[in-house]
Amino acid sequence: MESVKRMPRVLLAGANSGCGKTSITCGILKALVNRGLHIQSYKCGPDYIDPMLHSHITGRDCRNLDPFFSTGQDLRYLVGKDSQDVDFSVTEGVMGYYDGVGISCEKSTWTVSKETGTPTILIFNVKGMSHTMVPLIKGMIEYQENPVTGVILNRCSKGMYQLMKPEIEEKLGISVVGYFPQKEGIYIGSRHLGLMTAAEIDNLDEILNLLGETAEECIDIDLLLKIGQRAEELPKVKRPEVPKKKRARIAVAKDNAFCFYYKENLEILEQLGAELCYFSPVNDTHLPEDTDGIYLGGGYPETYRKELADNISMKQSICEAAQYGKPIIAECGGFMYVCDHLIETDDSQEEMLGLINTDVRMTKRLSMQFGYVTMKALYDTAFFKKDTKIRVHEFHYSKADKRGDACEITKYSGKCWNGLYVKDKIMAGYPHFYFHNCKEVAKCFVDMAEEASTKRC
């Protein structure tokens, strides 16, 4: 650890899911970038889609801050690591400010703001109310000790904002940083797993420009920057080095079908000596040359099931790699791809890779086996030893006929089931890994890829 640094920053938290956090965060990010500032963004929780939008705006990889996966010290380290060389940082919360694991406030956006000492601005959807805003905001800021210093009123007219701003500030002693009116044309489409990804929105830049203009007009950006100066100092840390000599080449699936990756995961693989090369299971005909391992992340394989099924040469390339003993990690969407068949809700089906002997069926509702879970290994595998405990996350609108038996998976509520396949050097299942809290899994993966590379040589 080196010296501490101020690292000005704010966290934008919502009173609830659907209150407008993402639109307002994107608008503020765009306004800050338009001012010529170098911005680092973060997203609380196990989110992949909002970070894509952030990164599109800032030109810099958004990072996840997840208190389920990370200790308070880890969170401070992660913020310090990536905010030390920028002008300002913005974190977007997840769900409601106090919504954590189960029905508690543990491991919530509040945890992130408190542990990192980040001044927090609450976003309220105030459509249909006037003075009721005051007790609602009062309850939020007084419920727990927190660094809340301001609010933004969403879906609020200019007239109502002008009336309520002095009322809220006088009665509650916090700043009303601005408002966001309800406007036509500012909309980011959604689907069953959440918002559409940045790559799928044809008029994304037009939408972001509108959001940025609205933020500049309706939010006091100067005040927001001033509030950010009150952030607690954080350690200025040295980033882990990436070895110059590469141990193995790991092919990472990256296209519209497979796009859910934590940036931290990819960097940890590189820090362990992996050279990452990217490919598209949808569009490419073969794996990259000299591939030693394969990482198939989450995404929307169901949307591209026909293209994936018809890309015979790619399927053969991946199956041959598996036969040669090259390790494969397949998370959620990747798991769906390595199974026998992907079956839609209308019972139509497409043939997938067939590396794991089960079919996966799309469902119309979110699986009840979702959310933060802890896996306990039931036996030794190539990726972890028996009794190893790993915190992971699940979120899927599909169900596998057979889920695997490598681990006992337990939710915070106590509900448990068996899941995850580890077949030779293939690990596949619904859980998403965050390597920062299970580096041994990443190390085993790279070690096996290195072993495969020596056979190739």
Side-chain angles (χ1 to χ4, degrees), residues 239-257:
R239 290 189 177 89
E241 295 182 2
V242 175
K244 292 182 179 179
K245 185 178 180 181
K246 303 303 179 184
R247 298 168 54 196
R249 295 192 86 209
I250 291 178
V252 181
K254 196 168 187 182
D255 55 22
N256 285 348

Side-chain angles (χ1 to χ4, degrees), residues 379 381-384 405-406 420-428:
Y379 50 82
T381 74
F383 291 87
F384 44 73
D405 63 357
L420 195 73
Y421 284 90
V422 181
K423 179 184 175 184
D424 298 324
K425 295 182 181 179
I426 301 173
M427 181 171 68

Side-chain angles (χ1 to χ4, degrees), residues 126-186:
V126 299
K127 184 178 180 181
M129 68 176 78
S130 57
H131 193 83
T132 300
M133 300 178 203
V134 177
L136 285 177
I137 297 170
K138 178 181 173 67
M140 288 283 289
I141 61 178
E142 292 184 357
Y143 177 64
Q144 297 278 8
E145 182 180 348
N146 59 64
V148 173
T149 57
V151 296
I152 292 173
L153 310 179
N154 190 29
R155 301 184 75 184
C156 180
S157 67
K158 183 176 182 179
M160 181 59 70
Y161 165 72
Q162 291 173 333
L163 289 172
M164 290 306 303
K165 176 179 168 65
E167 185 78 2
I168 293 170
E169 291 182 337
E170 177 185 347
K171 285 186 165 53
L172 302 182
I174 63 171
S175 300
V176 180
V177 182
Y179 71 102
F180 231 67
Q182 190 169 349
K183 280 190 175 183
E184 294 294 329
I186 303 180

